[in-house]
Amino acid sequence: MEAQDNSSVSPSEKTIAEEPCGEQVPIPTTETSDVPPDGGYGWVCVACACAINAHTWGLNSSYGVFLAYYLATDTFPGATPLDFAFVGGLSISQALLISPLATYLGRLYGTRFVLLIGVFFETLALIGASFATQIWQLFLSQGVAFGVGMGFLFVGSVGIVPQWFSKKRSLANGFAAGGSGIGGLIYSLATNAMIKSIGLAWAFRVLGMLAFVVNFISAILIRDRNKQIGAAQLAFDYRLFKRAEFLLLLGWGFFSMLGYIVLLFSLPNYALSIGLTAQQGSVIGALLNLGQGIGRPVVGYFSDSAGRINIAGSLTFFCGLICLVVWIFAKTYGVLIFFSLLAGTVAGTFWCTIAPVGAEVVGLKELPSALSITWIVLALPTTFSEAIALELRQAVGDIYLHAQVFTGFMYIGAALCMWFLRTWKIGELQKTAMKKNEAESSTGARVDLVATTSQVDQPSLIKRLYVLERV
């Protein structure tokens, strides 16, 4: 059995391995824990997860193109911009709210059953949206039903890739998450072209057929390792709320989503607001997704080498910074192209790193439950983020200025949560080192205890805020 470094197995992971759900039962030291293969069939699962992300989150990313079309036409008489904002918000929030049920059904009937339910609902949603003539029908189809299908597919697949990897976990997760960017790139351009050439209804039907074929094949091929790792598939483990580090993880996600959804859905319409054409707006949305497709594997690679929490926090802050210093001043097509590509590489940092970072914080065994709770909490910002952005728009001048400032500071707030989470992680690593040295000194030969203690002396909270360490 290969030894794993601190980047692969966190102290919390080791603790959870010794404390199963329910009563704490001592585990004999001779028992060996599961070691992920770090490859093999895991790469097939990465490809399947990538394809699923492309045809769930990626497909949903094209809603920015739909939104621009809805706002520019009278397709649904009587509907307001706020109505259309909630359609996009519902598609994401429903995906997250359905997570406890998806987790519960996965425990009872297995991962494939959950994924196939998602295939059914997503296909039904897109085909149903093609027949919508009133706004409430769009709410139920492109909003609620699509969100339910996306939720089952996402929850069923998101925890699988980390189960197959240890040292390459963030890299593999980056490739899988990059599928949403590639899908967003393809479908942002394709959706605009199809609406122009074959109309809105047939654009929905073509998307529905494509999503069915790809998602169905991926659901058949993908495999989990729940039995090998003994994953605790609890839909809602309230004990996690007692852990400050988990609350910081939730804060990071909450604020990230308040910014991310605004970028994802508003950028094509922002292009129209500065005088660009609908075609140019769809290109801007596509380039944002291209940046995500390119950036997420890169983020994953550097997360494994520089530290998962380090990368997650710094790139989240960087995204907020460029929203404030680049997006606000992007008044031409060229500058907006630059911003879209640059922002795309870092805007979805949360989705690229949540599973690996979550494993660092709560451990692999508690990861399904932690993710399930995370999706529920994120339902609130994803529902209202775009609605907030549209309400922040001004009638004259820089129409999107307030929304841009809002987006930038939400990302910065998320980065602050990750900064404090990093501080906690450094403290945990120090505690683990101290316990290890104490155990060695008690079982080995005579050791200078004063020297040993000084080497692993835990720094103060203030020092841990600034200490340079790979976490």
Side-chain angles (χ1 to χ4, degrees):
M1 181 183 299
E2 296 179 357
Q4 298 179 358
D5 60 15
N6 287 335
S7 66
S8 303
V9 181
S10 66
S12 56
E13 234 174 274
K14 298 173 183 176
T15 302
I16 291 173
E18 297 172 358
E19 299 176 2
C21 287
E23 299 181 0
Q24 298 182 6
V25 180
I27 296 178
T29 56
T30 56
E31 181 178 346
T32 58
S33 59
D34 173 72
V35 178
D38 223 23
Y41 197 81
W43 291 115
V44 176
C45 295
V46 169
C48 292
C50 179
I52 289 173
N53 283 328
H55 292 81
T56 51
W57 297 106
L59 191 56
N60 192 60
S61 296
S62 67
Y63 184 73
V65 176
F66 282 107
L67 178 63
Y69 176 79
Y70 294 151
L71 294 175
T73 63
D74 194 29
T75 306
F76 298 94
T80 66
L82 200 59
D83 291 330
F84 294 125
F86 276 118
V87 172
L90 279 172
S91 66
I92 297 180
S93 63
Q94 296 307 302
L96 301 176
L97 283 174
I98 205 69
S99 59
L101 177 61
T103 303
Y104 176 74
L105 291 178
R107 183 175 61 183
L108 291 181
Y109 304 110
T111 298
R112 185 166 290 118
F113 177 79
V114 170
L115 293 174
L116 291 177
I117 291 178
V119 173
F120 170 77
F121 273 102
E122 184 171 320
T123 306
L124 179 68
L126 292 170
I127 301 300
S130 69
F131 296 99
T133 57
Q134 300 180 46
I135 188 62
W136 68 266
Q137 296 168 344
L138 198 67
F139 273 121
L140 293 178
S141 55
Q142 194 175 15
V144 176
F146 185 87
V148 170
M150 183 166 67
F152 274 101
L153 283 162
F154 174 63
V155 172
S157 61
V158 69
I160 292 179
V161 171
Q163 295 177 351
W164 286 89
F165 296 89
S166 55
K167 295 180 180 179
K168 301 175 183 176
R169 185 178 297 152
S170 293
L171 176 63
N173 203 72
F175 278 118
S180 64
I182 300 300
L185 166 67
I186 295 171
Y187 288 117
S188 291
L189 296 173
T191 297
N192 185 67
M194 285 190 291
I195 290 175
K196 284 185 176 181
S197 59
I198 61 178
L200 180 65
W202 273 104
F204 273 124
R205 290 164 195 159
V206 171
L207 291 175
M209 289 184 282
L210 286 171
F212 171 78
V213 172
V214 175
N215 287 332
F216 181 80
I217 293 174
S218 299
I220 297 300
L221 293 178
I222 202 166
R223 292 184 203 160
D224 62 56
R225 301 184 69 252
N226 290 333
K227 292 182 179 178
Q228 289 89 331
I229 68 171
Q233 291 180 291
L234 295 179
F236 198 91
D237 188 354
Y238 69 91
R239 292 173 297 179
L240 290 173
F241 285 107
K242 299 178 181 179
R243 299 168 62 171
E245 65 273 18
F246 182 65
L247 296 179
L248 289 171
L249 186 72
L250 292 179
W252 171 53
F254 190 94
F255 290 115
S256 290
M257 287 304 99
L258 284 173
Y260 176 74
I261 301 302
V262 176
L263 268 179
L264 191 65
F265 290 161
S266 292
L267 211 51
N269 196 56
Y270 171 77
L272 299 182
S273 74
I274 62 173
L276 302 181
T277 66
Q279 174 63 28
Q280 289 173 320
S282 68
V283 170
I284 292 300
L287 290 176
L288 178 73
N289 286 288
L290 174 61
Q292 294 195 71
I294 295 173
R296 291 187 180 188
V298 176
V299 170
Y301 174 80
F302 284 104
S303 292
D304 285 328
S305 57
R308 292 155 187 167
I309 296 177
N310 288 340
I311 291 296
S314 59
L315 293 186
T316 299
F317 176 80
F318 179 71
C319 187
L321 184 64
I322 62 174
C323 285
L324 297 175
V325 302
V326 179
W327 188 20
I328 289 177
F329 304 100
K331 305 300 181 183
T332 64
Y333 191 38
V335 176
L336 197 54
I337 286 176
F338 169 75
F339 171 75
S340 299
L341 283 170
L342 184 61
T345 60
V346 294
T349 296
F350 172 82
W351 298 112
C352 176
T353 57
I354 177 58
V357 170
E360 292 287 337
V361 174
V362 302
L364 276 177
K365 288 190 175 184
E366 296 294 338
L367 183 61
S369 182
L371 292 177
S372 183
I373 294 173
T374 301
W375 311 146
I376 296 173
V377 171
L378 296 189
L380 185 63
T382 54
T383 299
F384 295 101
S385 179
E386 181 60 13
I388 292 172
L390 291 182
E391 285 297 301
L392 287 174
R393 292 189 307 172
Q394 303 174 89
V396 294
D398 290 338
I399 297 176
Y400 271 92
L401 177 61
H402 293 167
Q404 291 166 321
V405 173
F406 170 81
T407 302
F409 278 104
M410 289 304 100
Y411 271 111
I412 291 174
L416 286 174
C417 291
M418 188 53 64
W419 188 22
F420 287 112
L421 182 64
R422 178 183 183 274
T423 302
W424 165 83
K425 182 67 175 180
I426 292 173
E428 289 298 297
L429 292 175
Q430 292 289 336
K431 289 178 183 178
T432 301
M434 290 178 67
K435 291 179 181 179
K436 180 179 178 182
N437 280 335
E438 287 174 0
E440 290 176 351
S441 64
S442 63
T443 58
R446 294 287 299 176
V447 178
D448 187 350
L449 294 180
V450 175
T452 302
T453 302
S454 64
Q455 291 173 2
V456 295
D457 188 30
Q458 187 175 3
S460 66
L461 175 62
I462 300 300
K463 289 182 179 179
R464 279 186 274 137
L465 287 170
Y466 302 101
V467 66
L468 295 177
E469 190 164 343
R470 177 175 173 268
V471 292

